[in-house]
Amino acid sequence: MSNQPYRTALVTGASSGIGAAIVGRLRAAGIAVHAVARDKQRLARLADDTGCTPHAVSVADHDGMAEIAKTVEIDILVNNAGQSRTGNIADTTAEDIDALVDVNLRAVLKLTHLVVPGMVRRNRGHIVNISSIAGHYAFAGGNTVYHATKAGVHSLSRQLRCDLYGSAIRVTEISPARVETEVFGRLIGDMEEAKRRFFDEYESLLPVDIADSVAFAVLAPQRMNVSFMEVLPTMQVVGGLNFAKKSADPA
């Protein structure tokens, strides 16, 4: 730890799942962590368990996030907060579109915009964006808006490396496939059913796997930037091809 320059991290979506695991992993590495999420009670438990500093605020609350950015010197920004929905573009709602864009993309852009100038002044920092394979691959059953927002995070990560070229600031995008978290239960409204349908018969990633991926990138020697990491369960593949048959009645 003595040869790495980072002292303080800010992690969004920190109250459970991947975010909570990242908080714990960075705290174990001796980094002071500011944990951001909406669930005050879960954040309090996380603070008791890890010694992080909790901030019960939504990432979509720009003023609230600006206040944190103004008072905390952030060396590591982990943009992890995200939401998903069921359905495709034909059956989603305008409210779902707004919610996904606000949390998954607009909040990432605004928080990055708040934090990067300080990193540039100090010539020290690391931005870690947690995206998704949904940002790189199209597959049936995925929510169209979710895919689009994660593609935006992917594009942001690539462009940030151009924006910060010549500085010591690193940018890492970590793109997970299926991770065993509560998000599936929220999507279908039944945690037990989600466990049965998505996890009981499959070996999925665990939140700690993504936290360890973040730690690998963040704690790597400063000469090394892990720019992109796609993390899949061993038994899951991406891609594939579907070919619809001709319809007897095109109408």
Side-chain angles (χ1 to χ4, degrees):
M1 285 300 300
S2 60
N3 64 348
Q4 73 88 15
Y6 305 140
R7 296 184 292 271
T8 306
L10 188 149
V11 179
T12 67
S15 61
S16 64
I18 292 171
I22 293 170
V23 171
R25 185 64 182 82
L26 294 181
R27 286 293 299 129
I31 296 168
V33 180
H34 292 259
V36 173
R38 293 174 298 173
D39 194 317
K40 188 174 183 178
Q41 291 183 334
R42 282 190 168 184
L43 279 178
R45 290 195 294 270
L46 184 66
D48 289 341
D49 291 341
T50 66
C52 70
T53 301
H55 300 272
V57 60
S58 168
V59 291
D61 178 357
H62 183 64
D63 291 340
M65 296 307 300
E67 188 62 30
I68 296 171
K70 185 169 62 177
T71 56
V72 178
E73 188 175 278
I74 300 165
D75 292 327
I76 303 164
L77 170 61
V78 182
N79 284 309
N80 167 70
Q83 294 186 7
S84 188
R85 297 289 192 277
T86 57
N88 59 34
I89 197 65
D91 56 25
T92 194
T93 66
E95 291 75 18
D96 282 347
I97 292 172
D98 287 342
L100 291 175
V101 171
D102 283 347
V103 173
N104 294 2
L105 186 56
R106 183 176 287 113
V108 174
L109 288 164
K110 286 190 172 183
L111 185 52
T112 303
H113 175 254
L114 287 169
V115 168
V116 162
M119 290 183 173
V120 171
R121 285 193 303 272
R122 297 186 296 274
N123 197 32
R124 182 180 77 244
H126 199 140
I127 299 163
V128 180
N129 292 327
I130 309 297
S131 62
S132 167
I133 60 167
H136 322 295
Y137 302 98
F139 45 84
N143 180 271
T144 310
V145 183
Y146 180 81
H147 279 247
T149 58
K150 290 301 183 179
V153 173
H154 175 60
S155 182
L156 167 65
S157 303
R158 293 167 66 93
Q159 186 61 39
L160 274 174
R161 296 184 202 106
C162 296
D163 293 347
L164 299 170
Y165 170 73
S167 75
I169 303 166
R170 301 186 294 183
V171 180
T172 297
E173 178 189 358
I174 295 178
S175 178
R178 184 180 294 183
V179 184
E180 191 168 339
T181 69
E182 296 176 1
V183 66
F184 293 90
R186 295 193 195 107
L187 280 175
I188 66 174
D190 187 330
M191 298 300 293
E192 287 303 314
E193 173 63 17
K195 182 176 181 298
R196 184 195 65 78
R197 187 187 305 180
F198 297 108
F199 302 122
D200 284 351
E201 296 183 4
Y202 303 94
E203 188 173 63
S204 303
L205 297 168
L206 297 178
V208 67
D209 300 324
I210 308 306
D212 285 343
S213 301
V214 171
F216 175 78
V218 166
L219 301 178
Q222 289 292 296
R223 65 180 179 273
M224 169 181 163
N225 181 38
V226 181
S227 63
F228 177 75
M229 191 185 301
E230 188 175 271
V231 188
L232 283 73
T234 302
M235 302 299 285
Q236 182 180 15
V237 297
V238 291
L241 176 67
N242 295 313
F243 207 136
K245 293 182 179 179
K246 292 180 180 179
S247 171
D249 181 7

